[in-house]
């Protein structure tokens, strides 16, 4: 495994061009660019982060089009995740817009979601999560995830944490774009720092849903 030296801007250009021509012909003609400017740097990054976060899953670049009306064959980004719990963990992505990092519970099972809501309902533990998420927002992160349009069954509409209870997933993220350091080894330090900043919240979520 080669040492991580950054994400070349050629990788971002590759995805910008792929958005304009998402075809097998384009992919075949430019696969080498994807390999050298996207795949290899991402795999080198994941190897560097593995001692502190665990083994990552490198997602395939091909879309699953079996049940989709959109038949474009390739994803418009390259992502990877490190599982911290079933349905949740850390995430990193590179695409035309640049670097994106995230962490959270993105696909909880019904039992996990019920446990999460029960814990949010608890005055002490729910307040802990509120403080953690407020700290993330203050640090420049975005709190997202799928939400119910109304209150979840069994909870009052005027619950003090009703907005958190409406979440079907909780994802903390930060969009870095394409800063000058993206092409340098500093990118690994920035991604590591972002994941470490998200670690207390990720560990809270993993402990509740694990």
């Amino acid at each position: 495994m080669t040492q991580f030296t950054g994400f070349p801007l050629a990788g971002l250009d590759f995805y910008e061009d792929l958005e304009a021509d998402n075809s097998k012909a384009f992919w075949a003609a430019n696969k080498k660019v994807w390999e050298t400017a996207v795949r290899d740097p991402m795999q080198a990054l994941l190897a560097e982060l593995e001692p502190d976060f665990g083994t990552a899953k490198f997602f395939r670049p091909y879309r699953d089009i079996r049940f989709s009306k959109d038949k474009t064959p390739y994803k418009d980004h390259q992502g990877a995740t490190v599982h911290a719990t079933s349905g949740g963990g850390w995430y990193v992505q590179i695409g035309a817009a640049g670097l994106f990092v995230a962490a959270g519970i993105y696909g909880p099972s019904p039992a996990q979601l019920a446990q999460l809501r029960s814990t949010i309902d608890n005055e002490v533990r729910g307040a802990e999560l509120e403080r953690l998420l407020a700290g993330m927002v203050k640090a420049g992160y975005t709190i997202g995830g799928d939400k119910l349009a109304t209150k979840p069954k069994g909870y009052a509409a005027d619950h003090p944490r009703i907005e958190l209870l409406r979440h079907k997933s909780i994802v903390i993220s930060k969009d870095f774009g394409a800063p000058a350091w993206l092409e340098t080894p500093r990118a690994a330090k920035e991604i590591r720092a972002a994941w470490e900043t998200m670690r207390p919240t990720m560990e809270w979520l993993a402990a509740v849903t694990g």
Side-chain angles (χ1 to χ4, degrees), residues 10 31 52 61 63 80 100 129 139 186 192:
K31 185 178 180 181
D52 293 324
R63 295 183 63 252
F100 174 83
L129 181 59
R186 177 182 163 185
R192 182 192 301 275

Side-chain angles (χ1 to χ4, degrees), residues 89-177:
W90 287 277
Y91 180 76
V92 59
Q93 173 183 300
I94 198 77
L99 175 67
F100 174 83
V101 298
I105 300 298
Y106 44 80
S109 67
Q112 286 178 308
L113 183 56
Q115 181 60 39
L116 178 59
R117 285 181 173 149
S118 176
T119 308
I120 291 172
D121 182 42
N122 180 274
E123 185 175 347
V124 175
R125 297 301 307 283
E128 287 176 352
L129 181 59
E130 279 188 311
R131 287 194 295 272
L132 286 167
L133 294 177
M136 296 306 306
V137 171
K138 188 175 181 180
Y141 292 77
T142 299
I143 309 302
D146 294 332
K147 279 185 173 184
L148 293 172
T150 59
K151 69 180 183 67
K153 185 177 180 180
Y155 295 95
D158 61 352
H159 191 287
R161 288 176 295 283
I162 190 60
E163 288 304 311
L164 277 179
L165 288 168
R166 287 175 56 215
H167 276 267
K168 296 189 290 183
S169 59
I170 297 178
V171 179
I172 314 142
S173 65
K174 189 168 187 177
D175 192 343
F176 283 95

